[in-house]
Amino acid sequence: MLTGHRVQLNVANCQHLAAVPGQIVAVGVVGRSGMTGNTFHAHEFSKKKELDFAALESVLAEVAASSERPEVEASMFSVWFCDKKKAGEELEAVDEDVVLEESGTAVSSGPRERSQRGSERKSLAAKRNLFQSRHGLQQAGTGVLSLFDFRNLLQWRVSRQGAVPRYTVGDLESKIYDNVHHHDEGELLLPLKILSRDVTGEVEGASCGILTFTDWKAKLAAQACLLVALVSSIISPVTFMWGGSWADPEWVPGGRGLMIVDLLCDLGYLSYLLLELKMSFLHPSRKVEVTDPSKIRMYRMTNLMYLVKLFSVTSYLWIISFNASLLLNLSKIVRLYHFVRLPDAMWLVWDNGLIRTMRPVFLLIWLAHWVGCLLAWGGGYREALWNAGSGASFETTLNGHVIPGEFSLYFMAFVEALYMLTGALDNPLGDGGYREKNFGSLIMVAIFGPVGCIIVAQIIATVVREQERKHALDIRHEENQAFVKRALENLNVPIELQRRVFSLHYFQKMSHDYEAFEHLFKNHTLSSPLEDAIRVYLYQSVLTSGFFSNKEHSYILAVVRVLEDKAFLPGDYVVRVGEVADEMYFISKGEVSVLVSNGKSKEVEDAITLPIRKRKGDHFGEVALIKGSLRTAWVKAETYVVALGAPKRVLFETQ
């Protein structure tokens, strides 16, 4: 315990100190001497009462207005030291008055200076006593002020009850980019504005009535096209399944009415194809929206797929005019391509994970429908139906309900086609069935059997790829855990230490995903402003730190930009006495305690644990950076902790 000793006060970081002379701000300041034993460093504060800082500031304003020396904002403060064994006892004051000036220096004052300030104390005594009685503060002999930074005291006070930072996340976002674009669909972030357009044709296309991707009419036309293609892909193969013609629709399911519906689908599809001649398209290699009318027409008329689609709508022209076979409707299978590659106006839907996963299954079922109808037409099923004269002999039942024979026969062909396309057909020759000794079925099995192997491979690859995308981070975590586990076993690391390693691994996975951080920020997938905005959101807990209370937004962004996440287990020492200080820390999660040396002993076992813990939003480690000295305290993680390290070069070179 120090009594009557003169000490030098280290307030190098103080930029603004203010308090009522003699006022009890806090009781139980715990500190320690410097490396030479002549310098006092303030570390923690233990407050007896809840303080009304708004009322305190009003009194301080009156003090500053009435002072004859406005540059002197506070005086008559004493320093408390606390011994670990006498923490609960009444503390003795260091008999020394201190003058705290705006420059942030501490000057010891002798009797002459104290006598000159005597009149000031008497004039302020009434105001001080009124303030104390109004707010219920107990007088304990001598007041205490933060000797390091009064702002830290305020920060400790408010951080426990929800600190209000100088800049909120929204404030900093507005400094990074104009966030009005988040909410206004007419602004830049409209999804369809993402694509760039063909420069030479943009103005010309607009004047010639070209439908662009931004036009709702183009999107509506694309949706109508998908609907027509879906209906047509169901009806068209059914028309030729059992034979028949336009003039003789007896064997056509649904008769001529079904063919008329199919014809109407053709007319609707033709309208969309003609509209495509005045609709912009996405260039397959340059990935730009082409709006030049001449380029659009040239692209359509030289595209083989477009010409085949155009021919498919003419099938009924030949069927009606020349009584051609309904097998010409087989050309409409090309319309399934719209489900392989969606229309350009719906390019935003391409990357939907559900659509990517379900599209192969959808295409398999629809292709099996076409192959099943083709197998029924030329694989022996049609002959069996003709020979029976009706479908009565092929009827099946479902829970006592009779399923019509023609539909049952079709479904048999569909099932065989489905198994054929999945490479699981176990009776390729059709022994004992309707396909037995049918040459047409042998040809179709020979063609679609190998095709089925490719289709199955594509489906499996699609499902596996989507599952890998969905669980990419989990897979990476499991791989890293396997590598770490194997490495620890090979190096014969003790079981107890292995347990700490895996505890840290699980904590990072559950509470602070390092893999997500790495892939988000280290793969250059974000622009600089967007990366800054995400960091501000992720590190918003540091905004409540008193360290940033008087800093400009550019300085805060510079610090947030270089913060490095570090996780610690309970019991880990974040910093240690004697270490070279090259960074300070902001607490993002968890709690830490501070330990200081007890006398001359530098062993952590003999250290004094300070009574107040630092929690989310607090900072530590800046004292050694400011002084350019070694660490003078231990900081220990009491829980699982995530501390954000900020390097010295950014903290002090960017100010």
Side-chain angles (χ1 to χ4, degrees):
M1 182 67 67
L2 297 177
T3 303
H5 289 267
R6 302 173 66 86
V7 294
Q8 180 181 359
L9 305 179
N10 177 20
V11 288
N13 192 42
C14 296
Q15 296 184 8
H16 181 78
L17 299 175
V20 179
Q23 175 64 50
I24 301 175
V25 179
V27 177
V29 178
V30 181
R32 64 182 302 274
S33 61
M35 302 299 292
T36 62
N38 298 323
T39 304
F40 173 79
H41 299 272
H43 286 279
E44 304 288 349
F45 297 89
S46 177
K47 295 168 283 298
K48 288 287 186 180
K49 291 287 185 179
E50 297 292 334
L51 303 180
D52 189 336
F53 287 98
L56 177 60
E57 290 177 358
S58 65
V59 175
L60 294 177
E62 296 179 19
V63 172
S66 61
S67 175
E68 296 179 3
R69 296 176 59 192
E71 72 278 4
V72 179
E73 294 187 340
S75 62
M76 290 296 295
F77 288 91
S78 298
V79 183
W80 292 86
F81 284 87
C82 178
D83 187 86
K84 185 176 182 180
K85 298 180 180 179
K86 298 181 179 181
E89 301 177 2
E90 182 179 358
L91 302 178
E92 298 183 48
V94 177
D95 189 16
E96 181 59 35
D97 295 330
V98 180
V99 178
L100 303 177
E101 300 180 351
E102 280 188 339
S103 61
T105 60
V107 182
S108 298
S109 57
R112 178 175 300 178
E113 288 80 0
R114 290 196 295 271
S115 63
Q116 292 176 354
R117 294 196 303 271
S119 60
E120 296 179 10
R121 300 175 194 160
K122 294 178 181 179
S123 63
L124 296 174
K127 294 180 181 179
R128 181 175 68 249
N129 294 334
L130 176 61
F131 179 81
Q132 292 177 349
S133 61
R134 179 183 304 173
H135 299 282
L137 297 176
Q138 298 179 354
Q139 187 170 353
T142 309
V144 177
L145 179 67
S146 168
L147 300 179
F148 173 67
D149 190 344
F150 187 65
R151 290 176 294 111
N152 288 346
L153 177 61
L154 293 177
Q155 187 269 336
W156 272 87
R157 166 72 174 87
V158 296
S159 65
R160 299 294 177 263
Q161 297 183 357
V164 179
R166 179 179 181 182
Y167 295 101
T168 64
V169 174
D171 294 336
L172 291 178
E173 281 187 349
S174 65
K175 309 292 184 182
I176 299 171
Y177 52 78
D178 182 9
N179 53 17
V180 70
H181 298 302
H182 284 301
H183 311 291
D184 189 353
E185 292 186 356
E187 296 294 339
L188 296 178
L189 295 187
L190 187 66
L192 295 180
K193 287 287 187 179
I194 296 173
L195 283 177
S196 57
R197 290 180 177 175
D198 187 88
V199 178
T200 59
E202 184 171 358
V203 177
E204 182 183 356
S207 62
C208 294
I210 295 297
L211 285 179
T212 62
F213 293 168
T214 57
D215 196 327
W216 64 271
K217 297 177 183 178
K219 187 175 182 179
L220 182 61
Q223 294 173 349
C225 169
L226 291 180
L227 179 61
V228 169
L230 179 62
V231 175
S232 178
S233 63
I234 296 174
I235 295 177
S236 295
V238 174
T239 58
F240 62 78
M241 182 169 55
W242 307 125
S245 62
W246 179 266
D248 185 16
E250 179 184 357
W251 291 101
V252 178
R256 187 169 294 173
L258 183 69
M259 290 187 284
I260 292 176
V261 173
D262 192 24
L263 176 59
L264 293 177
C265 290
D266 288 350
L267 296 178
Y269 190 68
L270 176 62
S271 300
Y272 175 77
L273 292 179
L274 295 177
L275 186 63
E276 277 192 334
L277 295 176
K278 301 195 68 176
M279 185 184 299
S280 63
F281 70 93
L282 184 64
H283 197 280
S285 59
R286 294 190 292 123
K287 301 301 180 184
V288 296
E289 184 183 6
V290 179
T291 58
D292 190 314
S294 60
K295 292 181 179 180
I296 293 174
R297 288 191 293 268
M298 180 62 67
Y299 174 77
R300 303 296 186 193
M301 301 310 298
T302 57
N303 187 287
L304 179 61
M305 184 63 66
Y306 182 83
L307 296 178
V308 174
K309 294 176 186 176
L310 196 60
F311 174 77
S312 69
V313 301
T314 66
S315 60
Y316 277 99
L317 175 64
W318 315 105
I319 291 172
I320 297 175
S321 302
F322 302 99
N323 200 26
S325 172
L326 289 172
L327 196 62
L328 279 176
N329 283 332
L330 189 63
S331 62
K332 299 176 185 177
I333 195 173
V334 71
R335 298 177 188 178
L336 289 177
Y337 180 76
H338 289 291
F339 300 97
V340 176
R341 186 180 186 275
L342 295 177
D344 291 339
M346 301 181 66
W347 67 274
L348 283 174
V349 187
W350 292 351
D351 285 334
N352 185 284
L354 180 61
I355 291 180
R356 286 197 305 263
T357 303
M358 298 304 299
R359 183 167 53 188
V361 179
F362 172 82
L363 292 175
L364 173 63
I365 294 175
W366 249 244
L367 188 59
H369 171 62
W370 280 83
V371 175
C373 292
L374 187 62
L375 188 63
W377 174 82
Y381 292 90
R382 183 180 57 163
E383 288 83 349
L385 182 62
W386 283 1
N387 293 334
S390 67
S393 59
F394 305 106
E395 292 178 350
T396 57
T397 59
L398 177 63
N399 293 329
H401 299 283
V402 178
I403 307 299
E406 292 183 355
F407 182 81
S408 299
L409 197 61
Y410 152 76
F411 205 77
M412 295 176 191
F414 171 78
V415 171
E416 286 204 324
L418 186 62
Y419 274 78
M420 187 190 312
L421 293 175
T422 55
L425 186 63
D426 58 355
N427 186 13
L429 299 180
D431 295 337
Y434 302 114
R435 293 189 295 107
E436 186 176 5
K437 296 182 180 181
N438 188 284
F439 188 75
S441 70
L442 295 178
I443 294 177
M444 281 182 272
V445 171
I447 294 175
F448 293 109
V451 172
C453 295
I454 300 176
I455 293 176
V456 170
Q458 289 290 338
I459 293 176
I460 294 176
T462 300
V463 173
V464 171
R465 183 171 60 250
E466 291 304 320
Q467 290 300 312
E468 288 181 349
R469 288 180 179 180
K470 183 178 181 180
H471 303 286
L473 284 177
D474 292 333
I475 293 174
R476 182 61 61 88
H477 281 299
E478 293 171 0
E479 290 178 349
N480 289 343
Q481 183 179 1
F483 285 130
V484 170
K485 182 178 180 180
R486 187 59 179 167
L488 294 174
E489 292 174 351
N490 290 344
L491 297 175
N492 295 321
V493 176
I495 297 298
E496 295 77 10
L497 193 53
Q498 290 187 27
R499 186 163 57 88
R500 290 186 66 84
V501 172
F502 287 120
S503 295
L504 182 62
H505 176 83
Y506 283 118
F507 170 67
Q508 293 173 351
K509 178 181 179 181
M510 300 299 294
S511 301
H512 194 76
D513 198 331
Y514 273 92
E515 297 294 340
F517 272 74
E518 178 181 359
H519 287 280
L520 187 60
F521 295 115
K522 294 185 179 180
N523 290 341
H524 306 290
T525 57
L526 303 174
S527 63
S528 297
L530 191 55
E531 181 174 330
D532 290 344
I534 294 179
R535 285 184 177 274
V536 167
Y537 170 76
L538 295 176
Y539 299 144
Q540 57 183 300
S541 61
V542 307
L543 301 181
T544 62
S545 173
F547 185 81
F548 295 121
S549 60
N550 63 339
K551 301 296 192 300
E552 295 297 330
H553 73 273
S554 57
Y555 177 78
I556 298 176
L557 290 176
V559 173
V560 171
R561 193 176 293 127
V562 298
L563 288 177
E564 182 179 356
D565 308 331
K566 298 182 179 181
F568 299 93
L569 294 175
D572 287 350
Y573 289 103
V574 183
V575 298
R576 303 173 183 83
V577 169
E579 287 182 336
V580 177
D582 57 357
E583 61 182 348
M584 67 173 291
Y585 296 92
F586 300 89
I587 300 178
S588 177
K589 295 180 181 179
E591 296 181 4
V592 300
S593 59
V594 181
L595 298 85
V596 296
S597 299
N598 184 11
K600 295 183 179 180
S601 176
K602 300 299 182 183
E603 300 297 331
V604 68
E605 293 82 2
D606 301 326
I608 302 173
T609 302
L610 302 185
I612 296 182
R613 294 184 178 183
K614 290 183 177 290
R615 298 178 175 85
K616 179 179 179 180
D618 294 330
H619 64 275
F620 60 89
E622 75 280 11
V623 176
L625 296 182
I626 296 172
K627 288 180 60 65
S629 63
L630 301 178
R631 300 286 190 191
T632 58
W634 292 272
V635 176
K636 183 178 68 173
E638 297 293 342
T639 63
Y640 288 93
V641 172
V642 175
L644 310 177
K648 178 179 180 180
R649 58 178 178 80
V650 177
L651 292 172
F652 299 105
E653 293 179 6
T654 58
Q655 295 192 58

